[in-house]
Amino acid sequence: MSIVIRRSKIHAHGCYATQPISKGTRIVEYTGPRLTVKQADELYQDAPSTYLYGLSDGEHVIDGDNTAAFINHSCDPNCESDEIDGRVYILSIRDIRPGEELTYDYSLYDGELDDQAPCWCGAANCRGSMYSEEELAKREAQSKKKAARKKSSGGRKQS
Ligand SMILES: C[S@@+](CC[C@H](N)C(=O)[O-])C[C@H]1O[C@@H](n2cnc3c(N)ncnc32)[C@H](O)[C@@H]1O
Ligand SMILES: [Zn+2]
């Protein structure tokens, strides 16, 4: 499949189609060494951006080493990621024209509470964050709870 890495309006570099891609095409595999979440946290704790893909077991990530690792997030994506037997593939979810940037929804879920993972995809339905809808709802509920606790304690720190 012909795809290239170029500068992106979304973030730094992105991945672009050089030929028409039909809906349902398996475009590229997200390859790279498998690390445990702990190893990745230690390796990349101060990195502003990483090429990590979280596997569904919740315990391992792929440290991306190919073109797929340059695919940016969008809240209105033209691709999706699909995990099959521990391997991850990027598939088109609609027809894609040559020159279009490939994107998928990262649906992040496991980050520091003070990290908003702001999204710059520019889509009309942008949710403002690369976190998933569910994660954002969870975070919203957590911060409401925290604010309520703070109010009921009169602002005093609780042990
Ligand atoms: C796997 S890299 C993607 C390639 C990256 N653009 C580059 O040139 O290195 C993932 C990182 O890209 C950035 N990124 C991707 N999509 C983004 C978006 N929609 N909004 C903001 N930052 C984004 C974030 O820093 C994220 O951690
Ligand atoms: Zn967005």
Side-chain angles (χ1 to χ4, degrees), residues 10-13 49-51 69-70 72-73 106 118-121 130:
I10 298 179
H11 176 266
H13 289 84
S49 109
T50 66
Y51 298 93
F70 283 88
N72 283 320
H73 159 96
Y106 286 7
C119 180
W120 304 320
C121 76
M130 294 183 283

Side-chain angles (χ1 to χ4, degrees), residues 58-132:
E59 289 174 18
H60 293 87
V61 295
I62 302 176
D63 194 2
D65 66 0
N66 71 336
T67 323
F70 283 88
I71 302 177
N72 283 320
H73 159 96
S74 172
C75 300
D76 183 17
N78 50 21
C79 295
E80 68 182 12
S81 60
D82 199 5
E83 184 181 328
I84 303 168
D85 296 332
R87 294 173 71 174
V88 172
Y89 303 92
I90 307 299
L91 289 119
S92 49
I93 53 172
R94 63 164 171 77
D95 292 344
I96 299 173
R97 298 179 304 278
E100 265 192 81
E101 178 169 359
L102 305 183
T103 55
Y104 64 95
D105 188 333
Y106 286 7
S107 289
L108 299 183
Y109 56 90
D110 185 21
E112 300 297 321
L113 263 185
D114 57 356
D115 173 18
Q116 305 300 312
C119 180
W120 304 320
C121 76
N125 65 336
C126 178
R127 51 183 188 264
S129 171
M130 294 183 283
Y131 282 114
S132 68

Side-chain angles (χ1 to χ4, degrees), residues 24-58:
T25 304
R26 188 183 276 189
I27 302 172
V28 64
E29 181 175 353
Y30 198 112
T31 60
R34 268 63 177 164
L35 305 177
T36 62
V37 170
K38 190 168 175 279
Q39 286 170 327
D41 285 348
E42 282 165 11
L43 260 177
Y44 296 113
Q45 58 179 343
D46 296 321
S49 109
T50 66
Y51 298 93
L52 303 173
Y53 185 101
L55 292 171
S56 59
D57 67 3

